Amino acid sequence: MTAFHSDAPVLIYGATFAGLAMAYSLGKQSILVERSSLVGHEYVNSYRPGHGLANRPTSGIGQELYDELVRRNIVQADGAVHLPGISPVLFHFIRKHNLNIRMMTEITEVRSTEDGYEVMLYNTSGSQTVQVRNIIDTTSTCGSSHLWNPPILAKSINAILDGPPLAASIGDSGRSYEMVQGGFPSEIYFQLKVDNKDNWIVARDKLHQFWMNRPKMLRPWKLAAVADTFDIKVNQGVQVAAMGSSWLPSCAYDNFMEAFEAGISYAKQEVSPNDFIRNSK
């Protein structure tokens, strides 16, 4: 095991929209750790288009990212979004701004110290230990705290449908499901609410059972693809997680640009403006 003192006093967990925004704003003051090879997964890989994307972000870097998504025809003027096109833009964002990020890296243990936290990491390079002042987890389930189960307000399993465009978002009277128009006419996002305690196997079975027995009004659409991660709703804002670390869930916001702006706002509070490597205004 290799042990070293990190030059980045803040460890950000999760390459979410909020996490990427923090990593940009804090620059070399932070290290971002992501257990998978995915970015923006809380929206992109959960097939969650969100609402309110027609509203422009307020930060300079947020406007830059938003304009890039619009220029590439990923976000439409009315806020409709083509989610599969976002990931390449985010990877370009990481490379362009040289974010201090480690993908496919697990947090295996966290210990409190006098100066903050000792964090054990594991990836293809082996085990490493870093010393950081603060941990901010941006994942939907606070994956950095293995002994803490954060409160979940709602959970759904989503899918992409192929078929005629929607005139407006629709759902059943009990709101057990919702359909949202995507960026292209035949691109429809279907969101089925499941129990908060359902695991992935149970949730997928519920989705397929519902779709095989779907109401007549849903017959024009075909199931094209199922998301590979849950769409989770939790309370917005920073919460205290295990051992005093922080949890700012990126999934808590109405859309991914709001989550990005939340990450910018948190970073402004984390260090003083004079400490920023980059100016996020």
Side-chain angles (χ1 to χ4, degrees):
M1 177 181 292
T2 302
F4 62 94
H5 184 84
S6 174
D7 292 329
V10 180
L11 187 147
I12 304 165
Y13 190 62
T16 62
F17 279 90
L20 293 173
M22 291 180 200
Y24 169 85
S25 295
L26 296 175
K28 299 305 179 183
Q29 296 290 317
S30 68
I31 176 175
L32 193 156
V33 173
E34 167 58 48
R35 71 182 302 270
S36 72
S37 60
L38 307 174
V39 291
H41 39 73
E42 76 282 21
Y43 292 92
V44 176
N45 295 90
S46 71
Y47 294 167
R48 179 184 172 189
H51 301 280
L53 269 172
N55 301 323
R56 292 183 60 85
T58 57
S59 69
I61 190 61
Q63 291 179 27
E64 179 183 312
L65 177 59
Y66 182 86
D67 290 343
E68 178 73 2
L69 294 171
V70 171
R71 185 180 71 82
R72 293 179 178 272
N73 203 31
I74 295 171
V75 174
Q76 308 293 324
D78 61 358
V81 59
H82 175 58
L83 286 174
I86 295 178
S87 292
V89 176
L90 293 183
F91 281 117
H92 176 69
F93 178 88
I94 291 170
R95 182 173 182 179
K96 176 181 178 181
H97 298 291
N98 194 29
L99 301 190
N100 188 17
I101 181 171
R102 298 183 189 182
M103 305 294 289
M104 300 183 71
T105 299
E106 291 274 7
I107 291 180
T108 59
E109 188 176 357
V110 178
R111 299 173 182 170
S112 295
T113 67
E114 292 183 0
D115 299 323
Y117 302 92
E118 181 181 75
V119 184
M120 268 66 60
L121 305 177
Y122 180 80
N123 53 32
T124 55
S125 298
S127 297
Q128 297 175 324
T129 302
V130 296
Q131 300 285 341
V132 296
R133 174 172 53 81
N134 190 22
I135 298 172
I136 175 67
D137 191 314
T138 67
T139 62
S140 302
T141 57
C142 199
S144 65
S145 300
H146 302 294
L147 301 178
W148 185 61
N149 294 317
I152 294 176
L153 300 179
K155 183 163 69 172
S156 67
I157 182 170
N158 302 345
I160 295 180
L161 308 181
D162 176 67
L166 296 174
S169 298
I170 62 174
D172 67 344
S173 58
R175 306 305 291 179
S176 65
Y177 74 85
E178 183 178 7
M179 296 170 65
V180 179
Q181 178 64 51
F184 294 95
S186 62
E187 178 184 1
I188 312 297
Y189 292 98
F190 177 80
Q191 302 165 299
L192 179 68
K193 186 176 181 180
V194 296
D195 190 271
N196 291 350
K197 297 181 180 179
D198 285 348
N199 61 30
W200 189 249
I201 295 175
V202 171
R204 278 182 63 94
D205 183 64
K206 284 185 176 180
L207 173 63
H208 289 295
Q209 289 295 326
F210 175 91
W211 197 251
M212 286 190 295
N213 301 285
R214 65 191 184 276
K216 185 177 180 179
M217 65 175 294
L218 301 184
R219 294 293 175 179
W221 290 278
K222 296 179 180 179
L223 193 66
V226 178
D228 56 19
T229 188
F230 283 117
D231 175 1
I232 294 176
K233 307 294 192 304
V234 296
N235 287 318
Q236 294 182 8
V238 180
Q239 302 179 47
V240 177
M243 295 188 292
S245 61
S246 302
W247 181 46
L248 192 153
S250 187
C251 68
Y253 298 87
D254 288 339
N255 61 67
F256 52 81
M257 288 310 308
E258 283 191 14
F260 190 88
E261 293 296 297
I264 295 291
S265 297
Y266 178 87
K268 290 179 179 180
Q269 301 172 23
E270 176 61 28
V271 296
S272 67
N274 292 332
D275 292 332
F276 278 8
I277 300 301
R278 305 182 183 91
N279 185 354
S280 61
K281 295 181 179 180

